Amino acid sequence: MRLHYLLLLPVCAFLNVQAQTQPWQGKFEPIDNMIAPPNAYRTASGAPGREYWQQRADYKIKASIDEKTNVLSGEETITYHNNSPDDLSYLWLQLEQNVNKKGNPDFGDARGGVSDGMNSRQMQFLTRAIDFPAGYSIKYIKDASGNMLKALVNNTMMKVILNTPLKSGESLTFSLGWSYPITDRSMFSLSREGYEYFPTDDNTIYLIAHWFPRMAVYNDTEGWQNQQFRRLGEFALEFGDYDVEITVPEDHIVAATGELQNSESVLTKTQRQRLDQAKKSFDKPVLIITQEEAAANKRNKSSKTKTWKFHAENVRDFAFASSRKFIWDAQAVKLPTNTVMAMSYFPEEGLPVWAEESTKAIKNALEVYSEATFDYPYPVAISVNTSNIGMEFPMISFNGGRPKDGEMSDRAKQGMIGTIVHEVGHNWFPMIVSSDERKWMWMDEGLNTFIHQRTVEERYPEFSYTTPKSIVPFMSGDKNILRPIMTTSDNELLTQFGNNFYQKPTVGLQMLRESIIGKELFDQAFKEYANRWKYKHPNPGDLFRTLEDATATDLDWFFRGWFFTVDHVDMELSNVKWYKVFEENLNIEDQQKKTSVKIEGKNSAENPQDFSNGPEVITMTDTPDNAYGGFLSRLDETEMRKQLHNKNIYEVTIKNVGGLVMPVTIEWMYTDGTTEIEKLPADIWRLNEYEVTKTFLKDKEVSKVNLDPNFEFADTDATNNSFPKTESQSDFDRFKEKSKK
Ligand SMILES: [Zn+2]
């Protein structure tokens, strides 16, 4: 189609497009050059491609804990399946226990400095004054025929050099013998595993994780995963089946990834009967081991051992807990396609809240996450009590939070329940939707916290939970220490990663769901992502692409701003002008007179601070014939004037102070006490990223205009969101309260 240039001019003038005063930043340009391009492995729509491949590793492990020395020893056989199109002449394995080894360049603690009055524990973190022989002793590595394989250790990773290359499509079986001293959790910072010693009864709880040498990921985007374990960035692992035999003192109870295979030789008849009962108990947990029975176990302290056998399918890791202190409860949870045993293990120090809340929290997480993504596919979901922090593994998590003398504050209890929900939730992200945690912490923590917060909101509405308002203090923080969400895990500060990798992505997804895409369409797209990538390795681009592809929404502006920058949202309602069309047929001279009266009001009519001057008067002229171009039909001028009679015209100017482009929600408060919400999409910023002017026609008279009245968009400064300007915070809060009703 061709248009005459001269005809275009009046159209542009009518749209009132102003040149922006600051440089164009391309905030709506595609992010194609910021994410990996699509290929045969990963499609442009964000799904695994027709040639997507993934390696696989199956494990058979026999391990034992020596309670006297706290040494864990094991022998394992790995069957590695090379599904890649490449021949491999070497393999890389993860040796995370070496992170604590002397001589590891990253051995020291992140804190680094010395200060007056620091306590001995803090000093110990810095100096490792306690001489502890951390890290693996690798006893042997040999192939299926018993030939020794050469290996080289690079800190937390080990390269196994193959005698003959492993061809594409072929499998290899090799075995290793190893041992390491289990660390005391209280003496190592950021410790996710280790033992906890209880001096009161001279007993120990073992929380055993990243304990056996495991295959590193080899994939189409990284080749061999080559980020060392530096404590913050967690794991990147392959899926496989596990047969694990764990030998522990006879009176220990073991909780582990997978299904127990030999209950008749490790559990009593009574315990087995109680377990059968629990399988049919859908409304409350059944105690498998009571407090009294745990107390008896603690006293006896058998020196004999027992071997527990577990089998797990299609998991990316295996963890377990072992102690004679455990009280154990279990109940069944019915999901549409699976019935799961939810189970909790805790010492008496966890009573009474652990008996009341832990298994219930597992159930709540299983139900809400399954609905939001896909049904929990595994047979068991376990929560084990620890002293502090929470840490997730397939089917089992170690969760901090204990009462003191049986008492727990509401806040601590909320924290504990939230931790259990969160860690059980990690079964979806990253245990099944298996992103690379060592590279992108936000991909599992952010997505998991998003559904975790939704679980809290739906199942514990009296608790506090994350909303866009929660991220405001972080977003308005010092830009010199802020990093984009798209920062790799170990490059984030310890003081910032909680907000940047957990809360900010959560709020981003909440905004997409609640205010940008809409719940129904967003939920479907999120589910699509989870289902496309379950048991696979997604990258950030796969998430971004799927959310756009499954919603027909161009979200590049959102991903660009929220994930790739440290800009924040701060919209300023810089002006609202009130007009009325002067509908009488006055001559030009009279109209000018009327206008001039307004200009002489107490406020400058150019920049009025409120509506007290009344409307400005504008005249609307009849359309001259030449403005219709070639069209012969004409407006009904009288009808037009009648329609506008008594209407209020509001011209609203909004400035983008923070930098992030976002939709704008306007709240109109009318003089009759009613309110109205109007939503403008982010697209309003496409032509001018810094300032937009919009005109609205209202029947009623407006007393006040507010932006983002329900705090949907994490606007960091609410004091510039109103016209007339809100005088004080208390006044502001008052009308917030009012507008909520
Ligand atoms: Zn987490």
Side-chain angles (χ1 to χ4, degrees):
M1 194 198 296
R2 285 183 60 174
L3 287 172
H4 194 277
Y5 179 63
L6 282 178
L7 287 184
L8 273 175
L9 277 181
V11 174
C12 291
F14 177 73
L15 285 178
N16 193 25
V17 175
Q18 294 156 351
Q20 57 187 38
T21 51
Q22 288 157 281
W24 180 67
Q25 295 189 42
K27 290 178 193 283
F28 287 88
E29 288 298 289
I31 57 167
D32 298 14
N33 58 351
M34 299 157 81
I35 55 175
N39 53 37
Y41 311 121
R42 292 159 198 272
T43 70
S45 66
R50 65 182 189 282
E51 288 176 33
Y52 180 84
W53 54 268
Q54 193 169 294
Q55 307 295 69
R56 182 181 175 85
D58 297 321
Y59 295 83
K60 286 190 194 326
I61 309 173
K62 287 181 182 173
S64 60
I65 292 177
D66 183 333
E67 204 181 18
K68 288 204 177 70
T69 58
N70 288 321
V71 167
L72 179 64
S73 335
E75 302 208 320
E76 73 185 278
T77 301
I78 305 176
T79 304
Y80 186 66
H81 308 272
N82 181 11
N83 299 323
S84 82
D86 315 320
D87 296 346
L88 303 172
S89 55
Y90 51 84
L91 311 174
W92 280 101
L93 280 81
Q94 308 275 8
L95 303 180
E96 280 92 352
Q97 290 298 329
N98 281 0
V99 75
N100 298 313
K101 205 169 191 159
K102 281 210 166 96
N104 184 327
D106 197 38
F107 184 83
D109 186 81
R111 270 166 284 238
V114 178
S115 59
D116 187 24
M118 71 194 291
N119 61 41
S120 55
R121 184 169 178 257
Q122 289 167 327
M123 184 60 93
Q124 188 272 151
F125 283 148
L126 289 179
T127 62
R128 291 272 177 250
I130 296 167
D131 194 13
F132 186 77
Y136 286 102
S137 304
I138 302 286
K139 291 169 184 160
Y140 64 85
I141 309 170
K142 53 190 181 192
D143 66 16
S145 331
N147 302 314
M148 296 306 268
L149 293 170
K150 197 180 172 212
L152 291 168
V153 174
N154 174 11
N155 294 327
T156 61
M157 296 185 76
M158 178 169 69
K159 184 183 194 178
V160 175
I161 296 150
L162 302 177
N163 294 332
T164 49
L166 175 60
K167 293 245 157 43
S168 167
E170 292 186 351
S171 301
L172 164 92
T173 298
F174 65 107
S175 43
L176 304 88
W178 48 265
S179 69
Y180 73 87
I182 303 166
T183 50
D184 177 346
R185 287 191 65 223
S186 68
M187 295 299 164
F188 289 83
S189 60
L190 276 179
S191 202
R192 296 162 176 86
E193 42 71 59
Y195 67 81
E196 180 183 2
Y197 178 67
F198 292 76
T200 41
D201 56 22
D202 184 29
N203 262 300
T204 301
I205 292 180
Y206 293 95
L207 302 172
I208 304 299
H210 42 91
W211 54 286
F212 56 99
R214 304 173 293 178
M215 293 308 305
V217 167
Y218 180 80
N219 69 12
D220 59 290
T221 40
E222 299 285 322
W224 283 108
Q225 189 286 120
N226 51 33
Q227 302 277 332
Q228 293 283 338
F229 183 52
R230 298 184 185 88
R231 288 195 175 87
L232 196 55
E234 293 179 331
F235 314 110
L237 301 160
E238 302 288 14
F239 286 93
D241 295 346
Y242 285 71
D243 283 300
V244 181
E245 298 185 8
I246 302 161
T247 302
V248 292
E250 185 188 49
D251 45 10
H252 271 216
I253 292 295
V254 177
T257 303
E259 256 180 323
L260 181 60
Q261 301 298 299
N262 62 336
S263 58
E264 59 301 320
S265 48
V266 291
L267 299 181
T268 64
K269 196 173 170 207
T270 312
Q271 288 163 349
R272 293 202 304 276
Q273 279 168 350
R274 289 170 181 167
L275 259 181
D276 285 339
Q277 209 186 320
K279 281 177 188 154
K280 287 171 244 138
S281 177
F282 292 91
D283 56 339
K284 60 175 193 307
V286 172
L287 277 169
I288 315 300
I289 295 180
T290 64
Q291 184 180 2
E292 294 71 30
E293 289 160 353
N297 283 341
K298 281 194 308 189
R299 275 193 302 273
N300 294 341
K301 279 208 179 167
S302 173
S303 56
K304 290 184 194 149
T305 62
K306 224 168 18 189
T307 298
W308 295 62
K309 297 181 182 176
F310 294 91
H311 176 73
E313 286 177 10
N314 230 1
V315 286
R316 52 170 251 168
D317 201 358
F318 189 105
F320 68 94
S322 181
S323 182
R324 58 173 66 79
K325 282 176 72 72
F326 284 146
I327 298 165
W328 173 14
D329 74 21
Q331 80 166 81
V333 179
K334 182 118 193 76
L335 301 172
T337 61
N338 192 16
T339 299
V340 187
M341 285 293 273
M343 310 200 280
S344 298
Y345 297 74
F346 46 92
E348 64 181 358
E349 286 80 355
L351 290 171
V353 283
W354 268 72
E356 292 158 3
E357 301 292 349
S358 177
T359 298
K360 191 166 120 192
I362 301 174
K363 178 177 186 281
N364 283 327
L366 291 177
E367 288 171 349
V368 177
Y369 277 76
S370 293
E371 211 218 302
T373 55
F374 47 81
D375 279 2
Y376 184 79
Y378 298 132
V380 300
I382 295 170
S383 164
V384 183
N385 175 255
T386 81
S387 54
N388 64 331
I389 73 166
M391 187 57 203
E392 70 278 9
F393 303 96
M395 305 187 214
I396 185 169
S397 53
F398 307 153
N399 301 310
R402 280 179 199 147
K404 264 204 183 103
D405 307 319
E407 296 288 317
M408 207 169 190
S409 70
D410 277 354
R411 201 186 138 97
K413 195 162 152 183
Q414 286 189 22
M416 178 202 98
I417 291 168
T419 299
I420 297 169
V421 167
H422 180 95
E423 308 309 340
V424 171
H426 270 306
N427 274 291
W428 281 264
F429 310 100
M431 298 303 152
I432 298 173
V433 181
S434 184
S435 54
D436 181 346
E437 299 175 89
R438 195 155 298 173
K439 196 164 187 190
W440 305 117
M441 193 175 200
W442 69 267
M443 279 197 81
D444 67 300
E445 293 302 351
L447 272 58
N448 180 41
T449 304
F450 168 62
I451 306 291
H452 150 207
Q453 294 304 319
R454 184 173 146 188
T455 308
V456 172
E457 187 180 351
E458 288 181 16
R459 297 299 172 95
Y460 302 94
E462 71 281 13
F463 286 14
S464 60
Y465 47 85
T466 303
T467 64
K469 202 178 173 181
S470 324
I471 200 71
V472 165
F474 173 71
M475 300 281 287
S476 44
D478 179 1
K479 299 278 187 212
N480 289 324
I481 60 163
L482 290 179
R483 289 143 164 73
I485 294 174
M486 282 294 287
T487 297
T488 45
S489 312
D490 285 295
N491 292 339
E492 181 54 290
L493 301 172
L494 282 181
T495 51
Q496 300 285 91
F497 79 88
N499 278 314
N500 201 26
F501 293 150
Y502 293 59
Q503 304 302 330
K504 190 179 167 190
T506 294
V507 167
L509 293 167
Q510 287 174 337
M511 293 193 302
L512 288 175
R513 181 179 194 237
E514 316 273 333
S515 307
I516 296 170
I517 295 171
K519 269 185 196 172
E520 205 181 347
L521 198 52
F522 175 88
D523 285 351
Q524 228 175 44
F526 191 81
K527 205 174 240 196
E528 181 73 31
Y529 167 75
N531 280 280
R532 280 178 173 184
W533 291 98
K534 64 178 173 184
Y535 305 113
K536 294 192 171 72
H537 300 313
N539 291 334
D542 301 318
L543 172 68
F544 297 149
R545 290 179 195 279
T546 299
L547 290 181
E548 293 189 321
D549 198 77
T551 62
T553 311
D554 171 12
L555 297 168
D556 280 15
W557 61 271
F558 183 82
F559 299 138
R560 174 186 287 274
W562 197 259
F563 288 87
F564 288 89
T565 77
V566 297
D567 290 349
H568 61 278
V569 180
D570 183 11
M571 301 298 178
E572 178 192 285
L573 183 54
S574 64
N575 203 0
V576 180
K577 287 184 176 176
W578 176 23
Y579 298 100
K580 277 200 171 184
V581 175
F582 203 59
E583 70 281 9
E584 286 170 61
N585 260 332
L586 295 181
N587 60 41
I588 299 283
E589 202 178 315
D590 284 346
Q591 288 170 16
Q592 278 168 348
K593 214 180 278 168
K594 189 129 196 172
T595 309
S596 68
V597 169
K598 295 298 168 198
I599 291 167
E600 285 162 12
K602 65 175 187 256
N603 294 318
S604 157
E606 287 298 302
N607 192 19
Q609 303 301 305
D610 55 35
F611 297 115
S612 62
N613 272 356
E616 287 185 51
V617 175
I618 52 171
T619 58
M620 185 176 76
T621 60
D622 286 351
T623 308
D625 264 358
N626 63 6
Y628 287 101
F631 293 107
L632 297 176
S633 59
R634 295 288 178 268
L635 272 170
D636 182 339
E637 299 280 352
T638 323
E639 184 56 27
M640 183 82 195
R641 283 172 192 287
K642 221 164 86 190
Q643 274 176 21
L644 287 170
H645 178 74
N646 256 343
K647 287 273 195 309
N648 300 289
I649 299 171
Y650 292 95
E651 185 203 74
V652 174
T653 301
I654 304 164
K655 284 188 178 153
N656 177 2
V657 181
L660 279 187
V661 288
M662 274 292 158
V664 172
T665 301
I666 299 179
E667 179 186 44
W668 301 95
M669 303 179 82
Y670 296 110
T671 49
D672 67 358
T674 59
T675 59
E676 183 197 356
I677 293 283
E678 197 148 0
K679 292 179 183 254
L680 308 176
D683 300 65
I684 57 170
W685 303 104
R686 280 184 188 270
L687 301 181
N688 185 329
E689 296 164 344
Y690 301 94
E691 183 177 321
V692 294
T693 300
K694 288 267 160 194
T695 302
F696 303 84
L697 209 59
K698 300 289 175 195
D699 289 329
K700 296 179 185 175
E701 265 183 33
V702 169
S703 62
K704 188 153 196 162
V705 185
N706 302 307
L707 298 184
D708 196 18
N710 301 315
F711 296 106
E712 289 168 90
F713 297 109
D715 193 317
T716 58
D717 182 6
T719 64
N720 61 9
N721 282 11
S722 297
F723 185 96
K725 245 190 170 27
T726 301
E727 287 308 323
S728 67
Q729 196 57 39
S730 60
D731 181 20
F732 187 68
D733 286 339
R734 259 201 305 285
F735 79 73
K736 279 296 163 245
E737 276 315 303
K738 197 169 150 239
S739 66
K740 266 186 202 152
K741 281 168 194 161

